[in-house]
Amino acid sequence: MTSINTASRSLVPSDAGLLESTSRYGVGTHPNDRGLPVARWLTAVMRFPIGLAASWFVMAIVVMWALFPALFTSYSGTVGVARQQLRAPSAEHWLGTDALGRDLLARVIYGAANSLSGAFVAVGVGLVIGTTLGLLAGSARGRVDGAIMRIVDVLLSIPQLLLSLSIVILLGFGTVNAAIAVGVTSIASFARLARSEVVRVRASDYVEAAFGSGGTFVRVLLRHILPNSLTSVVALAALQFGSAILAISTLGFLGYGAPPPTPEWGLLIAEGRNYIARAWWLTTVPGVVVILVVLSANRINQSFGKDRT
């Protein structure tokens, strides 16, 4: 019995040895576990959404272009340099020059303000007017709902490009007018979504309780229905931002946007198409910028959608 007890005790580490191991390596930091933090770090890096980070980086750069263009270029966006026409990309002009000797990088940078501001105006017009119409249709119901939704159906039946071209012709050329035209084409989408959300919220128990406790229509509408109906509408606004940039660039390409020599991305592509055989960068660079901004805006909106779900 004594030999058995002695052998079993020899298999159990002594308290002194346990304390020595703990004091040397720390609790849970055995020498064999030193590689785990590195593996966890590599796993976290592999799982990090690189595409989302790149999208945020692109949008941050473009916003900085729009706010502080002078920090990124020393050239003018409208004035050319004599004898510098159609220069290929070089150390002096990173993205080359156009037919009038204007630095293309400066044109793209200064054009960000027009394109982004136009997109914000377009989204704002669609968001405010469309949400208001949807809110009234979903809350008032009856004939008001029927009349508003018939107007929405008419807007949806007209192709967006045709409708925006018609509005621009009526209002006149320019970035603001083009943005208003693009915003009008998105009113129907905002109105339908806002109406569906209002109808859903309107049938909730707390809204019925608010009406039952003596709340007026306007008070219940502004305090309960509207705040709880804006989540999906704001998400649609984020999605429409990239589409608005693309639509405004399309109008600028067709000649209905900002007039020359104002730098605007769609106008830059249109000006360079006549020289595409000898100066490919005049159309390629602005086109790539538009594509990157639109894809980045859509990728950021998708990330918000995943967070909501």
Side-chain angles (χ1 to χ4, degrees):
M1 292 295 294
T2 305
S3 61
I4 295 176
N5 293 334
T6 304
S8 61
R9 290 178 181 178
S10 64
L11 296 176
V12 180
S14 62
D15 296 339
L18 181 60
L19 292 175
E20 180 181 359
S21 177
T22 304
S23 61
R24 182 180 300 176
Y25 304 115
V27 178
T29 57
H30 192 270
N32 295 332
D33 296 337
R34 289 181 178 178
L36 289 179
V38 177
R40 293 173 181 172
W41 181 80
L42 292 176
T43 302
V45 171
M46 293 297 293
R47 293 179 178 178
F48 185 78
I50 300 178
L52 179 59
S55 299
W56 277 111
F57 177 76
V58 170
M59 294 303 298
I61 291 296
V62 173
V63 170
M64 292 292 291
W65 284 355
L67 296 178
F68 311 104
L71 296 178
F72 297 90
T73 180
S74 58
Y75 292 98
S76 172
T78 56
V79 180
V81 180
R83 291 175 294 183
Q84 294 287 329
Q85 295 85 357
L86 298 179
R87 293 295 179 91
S90 61
E92 184 179 2
H93 301 282
W94 290 2
L95 299 180
T97 60
D98 63 2
L100 297 178
R102 296 171 296 192
D103 185 77
L104 183 58
L105 177 60
R107 298 274 288 169
V108 171
I109 291 175
Y110 280 96
N114 294 319
S115 298
L116 292 186
S117 60
F120 277 114
V121 172
V123 173
V125 169
L127 177 64
V128 173
I129 300 178
T131 303
T132 302
L133 293 177
L135 184 63
L136 293 176
S139 301
R141 302 179 180 179
R143 295 182 178 180
V144 176
D145 184 14
I148 293 177
M149 295 314 297
R150 297 299 75 75
I151 297 175
V152 170
D153 292 338
V154 171
L155 292 177
L156 290 175
S157 64
I158 304 174
Q160 292 186 354
L161 182 58
L162 178 60
L163 180 59
S164 60
L165 287 175
S166 302
I167 297 174
V168 169
I169 292 174
L170 293 175
L171 297 178
F173 300 163
T175 303
V176 177
N177 293 336
I180 294 175
V182 173
V184 170
T185 61
S186 64
I187 289 176
S189 301
F190 282 103
R192 291 187 65 180
L193 180 60
R195 177 187 177 277
S196 62
E197 289 295 313
V198 168
V199 171
R200 179 184 61 82
V201 176
R202 178 67 175 79
S204 301
D205 294 336
Y206 62 88
V207 175
E208 296 295 338
F211 280 116
S213 61
T216 62
F217 178 79
V218 177
R219 181 179 179 84
V220 175
L221 183 67
L222 297 179
R223 186 172 182 178
H224 298 285
I225 298 178
L226 180 60
N228 292 284
S229 304
L230 289 179
T231 303
S232 299
V233 177
V234 172
L236 179 61
L239 182 62
Q240 288 289 330
F241 183 78
S243 302
I245 294 178
L246 186 60
I248 293 173
S249 299
T250 302
L251 293 177
F253 177 82
L254 295 176
Y256 295 97
T262 304
E264 194 271 328
W265 291 343
L267 180 61
L268 296 183
I269 300 174
E271 291 177 342
R273 60 183 172 178
N274 296 326
Y275 307 94
I276 192 170
R278 54 181 298 195
W280 55 267
W281 55 89
L282 295 181
T283 55
T284 302
V285 173
V288 170
V289 171
V290 172
I291 292 173
L292 289 177
V293 173
V294 173
L295 292 179
S296 299
N298 293 339
R299 179 65 182 87
I300 293 173
N301 179 73
Q302 290 178 2
S303 67
F304 288 153
K306 291 180 180 179
D307 293 338
R308 289 190 299 268
T309 55

